[in-house]
Each structure stands twice: as C-alpha cells, then as structure tokens.
Amino acid sequence: MDTQQVSAPSRASSAGVVHINIRLTDGYTVISNRLSQHRGLSLLAIGLGTYIQSLPDGWRIGVKALAARFPESEVRIAAALRELEQHGFLRRTRERVGGGRLATRTESYNHPEAAVRGRGRGRPAAPVVPAAATAVPVAAAGPAGGPAPEPVREPEPEPARVPEPESARVPESVRVAVLECEPVRAPLPEPEPEPEPEPVPVPVPVPVPVPALVPAPAPGPRLVPTPTAPRKPRVPLPAPQRPTEGLYAAAAGLLAGLHRTAPLFLLSEEDVRGLVPGVAAWLERGARPDAVRAAITDDPPVPLRHPAKLLRHRLATLIPPPPPAAVPVVPLQNCDDCDRAFRSSVPGCCRGCRDARACADAPCPTGS
C-alpha cells in the first residue's frame, strides 16, 4: 500500500489574505483586537492608537510632535486623537503643577472597559466613557409578554471642579494632547484661524506582480521496496572449519565483554550463544580480538534498535578471507658420501654423488 506524501506543500488559497508570520523575539508590541479591529474608529485613528501604544512612557505625543513625525496634517491628527478619546482608548486631563503651570496628562488604554471598571472600584469614573459601556441594553420582556419600558438613566454627577483664576484659564481651542508643561502667566490671545491645508496627494500604490503558484513537483520513484518485492537471501553466519573448545571460549568472552568498550552492545546470554560460531570463524582465520571488536561495533546506526541483528549481519558480510595455504617445506638431509646438506624428503646421496656413482658403475666403451 502506498504511503501518503505528508511532506508535499499544501496549495495556498487563491483569495483572501495569507499570513507569512515569523516568530518575533524583540522589537514588537502586543496590540488588542479591540483597537485594531474597532468598527467605530477610522483607519487613521486605529493606526495612531497603535503607534501610541507602542511608545514608551514619557514620550511626547502632542499634535505638533505627531505632525512632525507623520505626513498627516495637524487637523487630521487632532481629529484622530478626539476619536480615540471618545471611545476610551485615550484620556487627557489637565493638572496643576508647581509654579502656577498647567500640564496635560495623557493616558493610553489597551482595554477601555476593564480600565473603566477598575476606576469605578478604586476612584471616581473618568468623564470619558467608551462606546461599549454607553450602548443601550436590549429591552427585556415585561410581565405581560411585551417589551418592558426602557430604564431611565440618571445623569452621572460630574466631578467637582476647582475654580481657576482668570489668569490661569486656557481657551478651549488651544487644548491639545501633549505631555509637556506650559507656563500660564497671562491669558493667551485668540488664535487666528488657520488656513485650510492643501490636500496631501495620496500615493498611488504600485501593483506588485503576484508570482504564479508553482505546481508541486511530481513525486519521484519510491525508494522503499514493496512488501511483495523479492528480497536478497540472508547471508548465513560463518562457522569455523576446525572448531575447538578453546576457540569457542575465546569467542564467547569477546562477545560478553563488548559492552565495556561499546555500551550499546549489551547482549543477552541467548544472543551470545547464537553469535559464538561467527566470532570463532573470524578468530580461526587469524583475526586479532581487538580487530574483530572494532569491525563489528564501530559506527553503529542511530538509534540502534537490535544490536544482535547488527552483529550477525557484520559477522556474516565482513568476515576476512581465509589465509593462503602454506607451501610445504622440504627438509634438509646429509649426503651419505660427501656429508653435504641437500633438500629431500628421504635420506640418501646428493645429486652429485648419485651422478658419480652412475658413471662408476657404467661399462668402459673401449672394452678394457
């Protein structure tokens, strides 16, 4: 049965956004979806709120500072700040500081509803209430089955204001969200109306060519044989030609001590008994014990599941060839006549003495 190719890439969606996310380890800010997906805020207000929440404490976020940072005009930035303040993501209050000065305190909230509940428990509620908290509740069923009359909301009491001297009052038109202290020493003159700013040209986005989806490569040929494929015959375990008790004892000791140098090869008694003939065949062919140990235990696969099967395979396939047959050596003999040494399997005379005897025994050609 074919195995499903789980590594094949899945086809990407042809419509909608596809997120290519990379895990961030630094330089990021957690933004709540209450802000990034708010249905009542403009896109400029959502972007400005995201930027404000990414700033550290004490950073200047006045209208002029933001206009110097972004290409939008001061009018649009001020309108976006008012949107954030209306929906509870921003709170601006005027506080009196030492030296007869007033300072604007700006607070940014990532969860306006929770912040309003916390202020309600600890201190008086802020004058700014998010839109979610001011929504009209759904009418419940009355006793007669019809809708019950809507409960009348009582106006919340405004916090008591400390009367300020005329010299310290600031006109409402110049109240901006800044984190800096401004000295108030005399009433400021009425500002002249600013000219209508010229519309900023909207950059036309250049369409980026979308690369065509590359079709998944066709699966290559299977490298794993099927269960019904013919298998190679198993190489039999070698055995010694002339087994002896000492040879088998040396092979058993070598196998039982493999775990001392190779901890992965801790064999059972039955495994040792089955592998002894193979090791004895190696020792019979002149292999040294340390060479046998290194040949069958070096570079094991990871993980090693069956040590005995690996040893049996290596003993059968890596066995060295038998040593060449020894050439028989002819022994030395001493000649009976001249006492010289010569090689022969039987004692007697050397070749020279045998030739001399043959000549002496031959008849003379002259007949004398």
Side-chain angles (χ1 to χ4, degrees):
M1 182 181 294
D2 292 343
T3 304
Q4 184 180 2
Q5 299 292 334
V6 297
S7 61
S10 60
R11 181 177 294 274
S13 176
S14 59
V17 64
V18 178
H19 294 280
I20 310 299
N21 295 330
I22 299 176
R23 183 177 179 84
L24 302 177
T25 58
D26 57 355
Y28 64 91
T29 303
V30 178
I31 301 297
S32 172
N33 286 341
R34 293 177 177 83
L35 173 62
S36 60
Q37 299 182 9
H38 201 283
R39 302 299 296 271
L41 291 175
S42 63
L43 194 60
L44 176 60
I46 293 176
L48 185 56
T50 303
Y51 173 75
I52 292 175
Q53 291 191 11
S54 67
L55 295 176
D57 293 340
W59 200 270
R60 296 179 182 272
I61 57 167
V63 175
K64 295 186 178 298
L66 293 174
R69 171 65 175 82
F70 297 101
E72 284 76 9
S73 62
E74 296 183 7
V75 177
R76 297 185 63 188
I77 292 176
L81 290 174
R82 286 194 296 270
E83 286 186 49
L84 294 173
E85 189 175 9
Q86 178 184 359
H87 290 85
F89 292 96
L90 208 65
R91 184 188 180 199
R92 295 181 290 184
T93 56
R94 304 281 289 183
E95 298 180 356
R96 184 181 300 278
V97 296
R101 294 177 299 174
L102 293 177
T104 301
R105 176 183 177 86
T106 304
E107 297 175 351
S108 176
Y109 299 93
N110 63 348
H111 197 317
E113 294 84 357
V116 169
R117 290 194 297 268
R119 289 198 303 268
R121 290 193 299 267
R123 54 177 182 271
V128 179
V129 180
T134 59
V136 179
V138 180
E150 182 179 357
V152 180
R153 290 181 173 271
E154 296 182 2
E156 299 180 3
E158 296 184 358
R161 298 176 177 267
V162 179
E164 301 178 359
E166 292 294 334
S167 60
R169 293 183 181 178
V170 182
E172 189 68 18
S173 59
V174 297
R175 297 183 64 184
V176 293
V178 294
L179 291 176
E180 55 185 350
C181 299
E182 300 175 358
V184 181
R185 305 195 183 277
L188 299 176
E190 188 69 23
E192 298 180 359
E194 298 181 358
E196 186 68 20
E198 298 181 358
V200 180
V202 180
V204 179
V206 179
V208 179
V210 180
L213 294 177
V214 180
R222 290 177 55 86
L223 301 180
V224 179
T226 59
T228 58
R231 298 184 179 181
K232 295 177 61 177
R234 191 175 183 180
V235 181
L237 188 69
Q241 297 294 331
R242 291 180 297 273
T244 60
E245 186 177 352
L247 194 63
Y248 273 76
L254 189 147
L255 289 171
L258 286 180
H259 66 279
R260 297 190 182 95
T261 56
L264 296 178
F265 294 90
L266 181 59
L267 304 177
S268 64
E269 183 178 358
E270 183 179 358
D271 293 336
V272 171
R273 190 181 301 110
L275 296 174
V276 160
V279 178
W282 281 57
L283 297 177
E284 185 186 37
R285 297 189 179 189
R288 296 172 56 86
D290 54 349
V292 178
R293 187 181 299 107
I296 62 178
T297 60
D298 282 356
D299 195 17
V302 179
L304 181 59
R305 302 185 184 276
H306 304 286
K309 292 184 178 180
L310 177 64
L311 294 178
R312 187 190 185 285
H313 173 74
R314 291 186 174 181
L315 287 172
T317 57
L318 302 180
I319 184 170
V327 179
V329 179
V330 181
L332 291 175
Q333 305 290 343
N334 289 335
C335 180
D336 295 339
D337 293 345
C338 63
D339 201 22
R340 291 180 180 179
F342 68 98
R343 289 191 178 276
S344 177
S345 58
V346 295
C349 299
C350 63
R351 180 178 299 178
C353 295
R354 287 198 305 269
D355 294 343
R357 285 185 178 184
C359 292
D361 295 339
C364 183
T366 58
S368 57

